[in-house]
Amino acid sequence: MSVVAKPSTSENIKDIYNIGEMPPLGYVPAKMHAWLIRPERFGKPTEAFQKEVVNTPTIADDEVLVYVMASGINYNNVWAALGIPVNVIAARNKAGEPEPFHIGGSDASGIVYKVGKDVTNVKVGDEVVVHCANYSRDCPWVKSGGDPMFSPTFKIWGYETNYGSFAQFARVQAQQCMPRPKHMTWEESAAYTLVAATAWRMLHGWGANEVKKGDVVLIWGGAGGLGSMAIQIVKAAGATSVAVVSGQDKYEYCTKLGAEGCINRGEFEHWGLLPHWKDNAGYAKWLKGVRSFGAKIWDVLGEKRAPNIVFEHPGEATIPTSIFVCETGGMVVVCAGTTGYNATVDLRYLWMRQKRLQGSHFANTMQANEMNKLALRGQLDPCLSRIFTYDELPIAHQLMHENKHPHGNMAVLVGATKLGLGASGKPPVTLEHPVMPKDDVHTTPHPYPMSMPLPSIAEAESVTIADDGTRVRELMHRGIIACAPTDTVGQVAKTMIDKDIHAVVVMEGGKAVGVVSQTDMVLARQGRTADQARVMLARDIMTPGCATCDADMLLSEAVSLMTGRRMHRLVVTQNDKPVGVLSMTDVVRKIIAN
Ligand code: NAP
């Protein structure tokens, strides 16, 4: 690896250099320019990010100081700027790191300026790209050969760690450094690593379901950051991809990258949570939608084949479709839930057809390097959609915050003085450079920050719950209106209408064995005539098991029970005997209308 950019001469030794003014190779100035986030200005990115001068960080024995030429922009530093859902600075301070600021940036291209004494894979002067998987080499799990992505020490560099790439110098572990593709500019090479390595693990990281020659892969968001990388990785594996996009204007972009063809998701309406499995009519309509979507896959392929892998990240809106269309024994692999996290799965398809729903997050060192070989061989277009100057870094994040940024990968110049520098030599293979349709911007809500720590059983901090102490007995309706399991639906309907109630408890041998709700009645009618529905029995349509709560239970707990199980009422018991009903209407009356 050689140095393409021209460093200053040795007479030019200073304590600090202007942005774009390169210190002599290997000379590390005491101070550096950086974009800093501080807790006192958490908020919108244009205010949270401020240019400051700080001490250049020192490095540990396994670390490297990289002179940053360009940096990639990712959503995680919008969250860092907002200070939600995690204050990354406070989290590090709590763990013993003293800096009261955050320097973000989880993608970079640059030049090695200093190496720790244990570093063997890079030397001063090497041009590198940096992946963001950061973990302790002393972790017993890692030492024993375990996947570092499962290590408790794993962190996303430039989000969970400090000294990312939004500064003249970035502090990284040597294992994060990978050779930089010479045919790319600084900004191109800064843009692809995070998304491409994530896509690589999703497609190559999961054993028997790894993408293979001849496989078919369905890729959601084919023109997006992850999707554009996935198409190219699938192509390199000798497999075939079908890309899903929101408009025909993106077809050419995806096919130029290597997709066999595209599907316009705008032509379908069956998105979101699955209809209730008892809802014959709703389920039939959903099946019609998902089957016609599946038929589009066949149209693209020219044969009736199902995808061996479905490359997922929209989540709640698309998971039911992904599970349905996936081949028997295939895998739906998911790394995000951009449209929501409560995805629904029809378990019958999962177990009967033995499909796999696999979570995946970023990539380990080996996988990032495998991905990078594609880039080095010229087989990976970085799909750079927009480039910003150093001064525009907060604007780039503000655009993301406001959902006004283009799809694909964005970069910001740091040490590079203008666009188009850094490329030396021709790419090993010539790729058609795809161009995104003009005016393409985001429509989806802000994704979850990369690696935001989830609450675990080891969480030490207690959670404060605001509760006014109201008990179920204060709100419930006393008395139970019941029916027998053998009563007909017609009889139950009459009881409901006569008594003006929303549900009837099914009692057998003095015990509540189920509830027939208005929803159950309506579901019984879905896909049947009124006469067919009327002669059904209460036990055929009731929701069995009867969710109960004790009259002394806190109202807040009862509400959690109902919302968690998607129910509108609970049977209230006292000494295990049914004594009343608590409905959502009662709760609304109390908490809103008062
Ligand atoms: P991106 O460039 O915004 O692309 C996302 C694509 O999803 C868009 O191009 C859009 O394409 C498609 N999409 C949007 N809404 C959709 C919907 N309702 N149904 C189906 N498709 C929809 O983002 P990205 O960089 O690819 O990242 C995608 C997600 O992965 C984000 O949430 C990101 O945070 C996450 N991510 C996770 C990791 C990880 O390691 N866990 C790493 C990188 C990214 P169309 O509108 O054309 O369909």
Side-chain angles (χ1 to χ4, degrees):
M1 288 184 268
S2 70
V3 181
V4 172
K6 291 236 178 321
S8 310
T9 57
S10 53
E11 297 96 64
N12 193 16
I13 295 290
K14 299 195 278 189
D15 270 357
I16 182 153
Y17 292 77
N18 293 328
I19 287 288
E21 185 191 6
M22 197 180 232
L25 182 62
Y27 173 70
V28 177
K31 297 199 176 288
M32 65 175 188
H33 292 281
W35 280 105
L36 263 67
I37 295 169
R38 290 183 183 271
E40 51 273 28
R41 49 179 193 251
F42 274 155
K44 58 183 197 177
T46 43
E47 285 166 15
F49 283 102
Q50 298 277 325
K51 279 194 272 190
E52 294 192 33
V53 169
V54 292
N55 289 338
T56 308
T58 53
I59 52 169
D61 294 344
D62 61 341
E63 288 180 333
V64 169
L65 207 55
V66 174
Y67 180 70
V68 181
M69 297 303 285
S71 170
I73 308 276
N74 295 290
Y75 211 99
N76 51 11
N77 276 287
V78 174
W79 295 104
L82 294 169
I84 56 167
V86 172
N87 174 340
V88 288
I89 301 163
R92 285 198 292 265
N93 292 161
K94 200 171 155 193
E97 290 182 41
E99 290 88 345
F101 58 79
H102 172 69
I103 301 177
S106 303
D107 258 324
S109 64
I111 300 164
V112 172
Y113 260 57
K114 189 174 182 180
V115 297
K117 77 171 173 50
D118 297 345
V119 174
T120 54
N121 62 326
V122 285
K123 58 183 185 316
V124 171
D126 284 352
E127 290 184 16
V128 292
V129 290
V130 179
H131 72 73
C132 64
N134 187 284
Y135 49 86
S136 168
R137 61 176 172 168
D138 298 324
C139 165
W141 167 259
V142 173
K143 275 175 135 172
S144 69
D147 184 343
M149 287 303 300
F150 303 154
S151 163
T153 67
F154 175 84
K155 290 189 174 84
I156 295 283
W157 163 73
Y159 175 60
E160 290 169 282
T161 81
N162 212 344
Y163 297 112
S165 57
F166 301 158
Q168 285 176 302
F169 288 94
R171 185 177 71 192
V172 307
Q173 293 173 336
Q175 60 80 20
Q176 290 177 247
C177 294
M178 309 188 293
R180 191 180 84 86
K182 287 287 179 42
H183 59 278
M184 288 191 197
T185 62
W186 293 112
E187 57 273 18
E188 283 172 336
S189 50
Y192 67 85
T193 300
L194 190 148
V195 274
T198 303
W200 184 276
R201 181 175 174 92
M202 289 172 77
L203 292 162
H204 281 285
W206 303 106
N209 291 96
E210 175 176 16
V211 65
K212 302 176 284 297
K213 190 169 188 293
D215 275 358
V216 170
V217 182
L218 181 75
I219 298 173
W220 292 100
L226 281 173
S228 55
M229 298 298 119
I231 291 174
Q232 299 180 82
I233 292 168
V234 168
K235 184 182 170 196
T240 303
S241 66
V242 178
V244 187
V245 287
S246 56
Q248 288 204 355
D249 55 344
K250 297 182 189 170
Y251 281 20
E252 194 186 327
Y253 184 85
C254 296
T255 49
K256 270 190 178 167
L257 285 172
E260 182 73 18
C262 299
I263 299 175
N264 180 0
R265 67 180 166 93
E267 291 172 7
F268 301 87
E269 289 175 344
H270 62 284
W271 310 120
L273 301 179
L274 278 167
H276 197 290
W277 51 272
K278 287 183 187 173
D279 177 357
N280 287 346
Y283 209 91
K285 187 162 177 249
W286 181 82
L287 267 182
K288 203 170 159 204
V290 77
R291 280 190 174 138
S292 60
F293 180 86
K296 284 275 178 190
I297 302 177
W298 298 344
D299 284 352
V300 170
L301 297 172
E303 59 177 324
K304 289 190 174 182
R305 281 192 62 189
N308 307 86
I309 300 179
V310 182
F311 185 89
E312 249 289 349
H313 47 90
E316 194 168 297
T318 51
I319 283 278
T321 301
S322 297
I323 300 272
F324 184 87
V325 298
C326 181
E327 175 65 297
T328 298
M331 169 177 73
V332 176
V333 58
V334 58
C335 74
T338 316
T339 62
Y341 313 124
N342 282 353
T344 45
V345 174
D346 186 330
L347 289 173
R348 291 169 296 186
Y349 288 96
L350 202 75
W351 94 67
M352 293 294 288
R353 308 243 161 105
Q354 301 176 74
K355 304 180 184 188
R356 174 175 182 180
L357 176 56
Q358 176 66 54
S360 194
H361 184 50
F362 191 58
N364 60 35
T365 315
M366 191 192 74
Q367 290 161 339
N369 276 280
E370 286 300 313
M371 173 284 295
N372 200 45
K373 284 182 193 163
L374 267 196
L376 292 166
R377 288 201 297 263
Q379 288 175 279
L380 193 91
D381 188 295
C383 293
L384 191 54
S385 58
R386 189 154 171 189
I387 308 153
F388 299 84
T389 64
Y390 183 71
D391 284 347
E392 290 171 335
L393 186 141
I395 296 168
H397 288 88
Q398 187 67 30
L399 282 177
M400 274 191 149
H401 181 41
E402 293 173 18
N403 243 11
K404 291 180 183 158
H405 59 299
H407 289 116
N409 302 320
M410 304 196 291
V412 58
L413 303 184
V414 182
T417 48
K418 57 179 182 174
L419 300 184
L421 300 179
S424 65
K426 284 203 157 70
V429 292
T430 311
L431 290 180
E432 256 199 289
H433 202 60
V435 182
M436 276 292 273
K438 244 180 102 217
D439 303 329
D440 172 72
V441 288
H442 281 244
T443 50
T444 36
H446 307 154
Y448 201 63
M450 280 267 288
S451 213
M452 138 77 180
L454 297 168
S456 70
I457 49 166
E459 206 70 17
E461 280 172 28
S462 63
V463 182
T464 317
I465 303 169
D467 194 294
D468 69 0
T470 307
R471 304 271 160 187
V472 167
R473 64 166 69 254
E474 297 168 44
L475 281 185
M476 70 184 209
H477 275 75
R478 285 175 193 280
I480 295 274
I481 296 174
C483 71
T486 48
D487 285 353
T488 64
V489 168
Q491 287 170 307
V492 179
K494 189 164 182 323
T495 309
M496 268 185 186
I497 291 158
D498 289 350
K499 309 260 185 205
D500 194 20
I501 50 168
H502 296 168
V504 173
V505 179
V506 185
M507 301 283 287
E508 194 171 33
K511 284 208 166 121
V513 292
V515 173
V516 177
S517 68
Q518 285 179 328
T519 310
D520 292 322
M521 304 286 278
V522 173
L523 284 175
R525 176 74 172 77
Q526 287 280 81
R528 294 189 185 86
T529 64
D531 284 341
Q532 285 172 333
R534 264 196 292 269
V535 295
M536 292 175 82
L537 301 182
R539 74 161 163 246
D540 297 332
I541 69 157
M542 71 183 189
T543 301
C546 191
T548 61
C549 68
D550 194 272
D552 283 327
M553 185 184 258
L554 279 171
L555 182 62
S556 56
E557 288 173 11
V559 167
S560 300
L561 251 178
M562 284 194 270
T563 54
R565 297 197 196 178
R566 307 274 191 278
M567 289 176 162
H568 292 121
R569 66 196 54 77
L570 295 170
V571 170
V572 184
T573 55
Q574 213 164 14
N575 302 325
D576 289 336
K577 292 233 154 29
V579 291
V581 174
L582 177 77
S583 74
M584 275 295 191
T585 319
D586 302 326
V587 179
V588 171
R589 203 173 290 130
K590 160 82 184 170
I591 61 168
I592 313 278
N594 230 344

